[in-house]
Amino acid sequence: MIAKLSVDQALTKAKFHAKKGEVAEAQKLYEGILLNFSHNKRAQQGLADLNNIKQKNITNNPPQEVIDHLINLYKQNQLGVVVKKAQALTKQYPETFMLWNILGTSAAKIDMPDQAIIALKKVISLKPDYADVYVNLAVVLKQQGMLDEAIEACNKAVLLKPDNTNAYYNMGNVLKDQGKLDEAVEAYDKAISLNPNHALAHNNIGNALKDQGELEKAIVSYKNALLLNPDYVDTYYNLGLALKEKGMLDEAVDAYKKAITLNPDHALAYNNMGVVLQAKSELDSAIKAYEKCIS
């Protein structure tokens, strides 16, 4: 039989789960107590309260297919439609944190930062232990130049979820913007240790290393990114910059050409290729590259 102390501990744990909205976990604990102590009034009341919560959730949350429809629209990049629909749904279901999260992340991507910040902070008020929302908020805050606040959001995400790769990746981006290159490299390294296949982190650590003058290490990082994503246009361009600074002009031209093959409208790649070709005294080719950039 369960000792009285164990019952008290189970009740405390059940209340903790219920407070966090983890209904299934709380229900299991209450039912376990009642299995042994069928007349335990606190467990009976706890179970009754859970039933009320479940009923309230049914009333106050949209059907799952509504959420799924919004997510599908988001994946199809129909972000304006998502924002409009999510705004209407949050009025109908103001306590559904996932609606606010979809609204916030979508608004951020179509240059509606004020709406995004409001929505994401609403998510935090509804579900403060949801780590990913702090990462989403950090991205918007960084875009707005609110770098200290963005770092704070990343740190909160890491506290809640220590293996949150994207939190460390975005922390690196913010630290780089702050000019804290050593710390940025550490954050990117942490992201890569958690997910070695994170091509963006490999690319961005290359950028930080290049800014530090660590050209050989930067080139290795860019090549690692390209092994993971051979169609990563920005990495070919960044690799070209590093190779040019290293004096590896032929290799730099090849990198710019690859970027242009993947994105024929990459004006900066044409311009920088022109600079390298001019340095190689290939003036006719340099002029053509500059003309293409201008066009």
Side-chain angles (χ1 to χ4, degrees), residues 222-244:
Y222 292 138
K223 289 182 177 179
N224 286 336
L226 291 170
L227 285 172
L228 295 167
N229 183 359
D231 296 329
Y232 196 176
V233 177
D234 288 347
T235 301
Y236 282 109
Y237 174 73
N238 294 331
L239 176 61
L241 295 176
L243 290 166
K244 174 183 174 293

Short mmCIF file of all heavy atoms in Angstrom, two decimals, residues 222-244:
data_model
loop_
_atom_site.label_atom_id
_atom_site.label_comp_id
_atom_site.label_asym_id
_atom_site.label_seq_id
_atom_site.Cartn_x
_atom_site.Cartn_y
_atom_site.Cartn_z
N TYR A 222 33.11 27.12 -43.98
CA TYR A 222 32.27 27.28 -45.18
C TYR A 222 32.19 25.97 -45.96
O TYR A 222 31.12 25.58 -46.45
CB TYR A 222 32.84 28.37 -46.08
CG TYR A 222 32.74 29.77 -45.51
CD1 TYR A 222 33.80 30.67 -45.62
CD2 TYR A 222 31.58 30.21 -44.87
CE1 TYR A 222 33.71 31.95 -45.11
CE2 TYR A 222 31.49 31.49 -44.34
CZ TYR A 222 32.57 32.36 -44.47
OH TYR A 222 32.47 33.63 -43.96
N LYS A 223 33.31 25.29 -46.08
CA LYS A 223 33.31 24.02 -46.82
C LYS A 223 32.48 22.96 -46.09
O LYS A 223 31.81 22.13 -46.73
CB LYS A 223 34.74 23.55 -47.06
CG LYS A 223 35.47 24.41 -48.08
CD LYS A 223 36.89 23.92 -48.37
CE LYS A 223 37.55 24.76 -49.45
NZ LYS A 223 38.93 24.32 -49.75
N ASN A 224 32.50 22.98 -44.76
CA ASN A 224 31.65 22.07 -44.00
C ASN A 224 30.17 22.37 -44.27
O ASN A 224 29.36 21.44 -44.41
CB ASN A 224 31.94 22.21 -42.50
CG ASN A 224 33.25 21.56 -42.10
OD1 ASN A 224 33.74 20.67 -42.78
ND2 ASN A 224 33.83 22.02 -41.00
N ALA A 225 29.84 23.65 -44.33
CA ALA A 225 28.45 24.03 -44.63
C ALA A 225 28.04 23.53 -46.00
O ALA A 225 26.92 23.04 -46.20
CB ALA A 225 28.30 25.55 -44.54
N LEU A 226 28.95 23.63 -46.97
CA LEU A 226 28.62 23.22 -48.34
C LEU A 226 28.53 21.70 -48.48
O LEU A 226 27.80 21.20 -49.33
CB LEU A 226 29.66 23.78 -49.32
CG LEU A 226 29.60 25.31 -49.47
CD1 LEU A 226 30.79 25.82 -50.25
CD2 LEU A 226 28.30 25.72 -50.15
N LEU A 227 29.27 20.98 -47.64
CA LEU A 227 29.11 19.52 -47.63
C LEU A 227 27.69 19.14 -47.21
O LEU A 227 27.13 18.16 -47.71
CB LEU A 227 30.13 18.88 -46.69
CG LEU A 227 31.58 18.82 -47.17
CD1 LEU A 227 32.49 18.33 -46.04
CD2 LEU A 227 31.71 17.91 -48.39
N LEU A 228 27.15 19.92 -46.29
CA LEU A 228 25.80 19.65 -45.78
C LEU A 228 24.73 20.20 -46.71
O LEU A 228 23.65 19.63 -46.82
CB LEU A 228 25.64 20.28 -44.38
CG LEU A 228 26.53 19.68 -43.30
CD1 LEU A 228 26.53 20.58 -42.07
CD2 LEU A 228 26.06 18.28 -42.93
N ASN A 229 25.03 21.32 -47.38
CA ASN A 229 24.06 21.94 -48.28
C ASN A 229 24.80 22.48 -49.50
O ASN A 229 25.21 23.65 -49.53
CB ASN A 229 23.30 23.06 -47.57
CG ASN A 229 22.23 23.68 -48.46
OD1 ASN A 229 22.06 23.28 -49.61
ND2 ASN A 229 21.51 24.65 -47.94
N PRO A 230 24.97 21.65 -50.53
CA PRO A 230 25.75 22.06 -51.72
C PRO A 230 25.10 23.19 -52.51
O PRO A 230 25.75 23.75 -53.40
CB PRO A 230 25.80 20.77 -52.56
CG PRO A 230 25.46 19.67 -51.62
CD PRO A 230 24.52 20.25 -50.61
N ASP A 231 23.85 23.52 -52.23
CA ASP A 231 23.16 24.59 -52.96
C ASP A 231 23.03 25.87 -52.13
O ASP A 231 22.19 26.72 -52.42
CB ASP A 231 21.76 24.11 -53.38
CG ASP A 231 21.82 22.95 -54.36
OD1 ASP A 231 22.78 22.89 -55.14
OD2 ASP A 231 20.89 22.11 -54.33
N TYR A 232 23.89 26.02 -51.15
CA TYR A 232 23.81 27.16 -50.23
C TYR A 232 24.53 28.35 -50.88
O TYR A 232 25.75 28.50 -50.76
CB TYR A 232 24.43 26.77 -48.90
CG TYR A 232 24.11 27.67 -47.74
CD1 TYR A 232 24.57 27.35 -46.46
CD2 TYR A 232 23.36 28.83 -47.89
CE1 TYR A 232 24.29 28.17 -45.37
CE2 TYR A 232 23.09 29.65 -46.82
CZ TYR A 232 23.56 29.32 -45.57
OH TYR A 232 23.30 30.14 -44.50
N VAL A 233 23.78 29.21 -51.54
CA VAL A 233 24.34 30.31 -52.33
C VAL A 233 25.20 31.23 -51.47
O VAL A 233 26.33 31.59 -51.85
CB VAL A 233 23.20 31.13 -52.99
CG1 VAL A 233 23.78 32.32 -53.75
CG2 VAL A 233 22.38 30.26 -53.92
N ASP A 234 24.66 31.65 -50.32
CA ASP A 234 25.38 32.60 -49.48
C ASP A 234 26.73 32.07 -49.04
O ASP A 234 27.69 32.84 -48.88
CB ASP A 234 24.54 32.97 -48.25
CG ASP A 234 23.36 33.85 -48.60
OD1 ASP A 234 23.33 34.38 -49.73
OD2 ASP A 234 22.47 34.01 -47.75
N THR A 235 26.83 30.76 -48.84
CA THR A 235 28.10 30.20 -48.39
C THR A 235 29.14 30.27 -49.49
O THR A 235 30.32 30.56 -49.23
CB THR A 235 27.91 28.74 -47.92
OG1 THR A 235 26.97 28.72 -46.84
CG2 THR A 235 29.23 28.17 -47.41
N TYR A 236 28.74 30.02 -50.74
CA TYR A 236 29.70 30.17 -51.85
C TYR A 236 30.20 31.61 -51.93
O TYR A 236 31.39 31.86 -52.15
CB TYR A 236 29.07 29.76 -53.17
CG TYR A 236 28.98 28.27 -53.36
CD1 TYR A 236 27.77 27.60 -53.31
CD2 TYR A 236 30.14 27.50 -53.60
CE1 TYR A 236 27.69 26.23 -53.47
CE2 TYR A 236 30.07 26.13 -53.76
CZ TYR A 236 28.84 25.49 -53.69
OH TYR A 236 28.78 24.15 -53.85
N TYR A 237 29.28 32.55 -51.75
CA TYR A 237 29.66 33.97 -51.78
C TYR A 237 30.62 34.29 -50.63
O TYR A 237 31.67 34.92 -50.83
CB TYR A 237 28.42 34.85 -51.69
CG TYR A 237 28.73 36.32 -51.58
CD1 TYR A 237 29.20 37.04 -52.69
CD2 TYR A 237 28.58 36.98 -50.37
CE1 TYR A 237 29.50 38.38 -52.58
CE2 TYR A 237 28.88 38.34 -50.25
CZ TYR A 237 29.34 39.03 -51.36
OH TYR A 237 29.64 40.37 -51.26
N ASN A 238 30.28 33.84 -49.43
CA ASN A 238 31.13 34.08 -48.26
C ASN A 238 32.49 33.41 -48.43
O ASN A 238 33.53 33.97 -48.06
CB ASN A 238 30.46 33.57 -46.99
CG ASN A 238 29.20 34.34 -46.65
OD1 ASN A 238 29.08 35.51 -46.97
ND2 ASN A 238 28.25 33.68 -46.00
N LEU A 239 32.47 32.20 -48.99
CA LEU A 239 33.72 31.48 -49.25
C LEU A 239 34.59 32.28 -50.22
O LEU A 239 35.82 32.38 -50.05
CB LEU A 239 33.43 30.10 -49.81
CG LEU A 239 34.63 29.24 -50.23
CD1 LEU A 239 35.54 28.97 -49.03
CD2 LEU A 239 34.15 27.92 -50.84
N GLY A 240 33.95 32.86 -51.24
CA GLY A 240 34.69 33.69 -52.19
C GLY A 240 35.39 34.86 -51.50
O GLY A 240 36.55 35.18 -51.79
N LEU A 241 34.69 35.51 -50.56
CA LEU A 241 35.28 36.63 -49.82
C LEU A 241 36.51 36.18 -49.03
O LEU A 241 37.55 36.86 -49.04
CB LEU A 241 34.25 37.23 -48.87
CG LEU A 241 33.02 37.89 -49.49
CD1 LEU A 241 32.06 38.34 -48.38
CD2 LEU A 241 33.40 39.08 -50.35
N ALA A 242 36.38 35.04 -48.34
CA ALA A 242 37.49 34.55 -47.53
C ALA A 242 38.67 34.15 -48.40
O ALA A 242 39.84 34.44 -48.08
CB ALA A 242 37.02 33.37 -46.68
N LEU A 243 38.40 33.48 -49.52
CA LEU A 243 39.47 33.06 -50.42
C LEU A 243 40.19 34.26 -51.02
O LEU A 243 41.42 34.26 -51.18
CB LEU A 243 38.90 32.17 -51.53
CG LEU A 243 38.42 30.78 -51.08
CD1 LEU A 243 37.57 30.13 -52.16
CD2 LEU A 243 39.62 29.88 -50.73
N LYS A 244 39.41 35.29 -51.36
CA LYS A 244 40.03 36.51 -51.89
C LYS A 244 40.97 37.14 -50.86
O LYS A 244 42.10 37.52 -51.18
CB LYS A 244 38.95 37.52 -52.29
CG LYS A 244 39.49 38.89 -52.72
CD LYS A 244 38.37 39.85 -53.01
CE LYS A 244 38.92 41.25 -53.29
NZ LYS A 244 39.55 41.85 -52.10
#
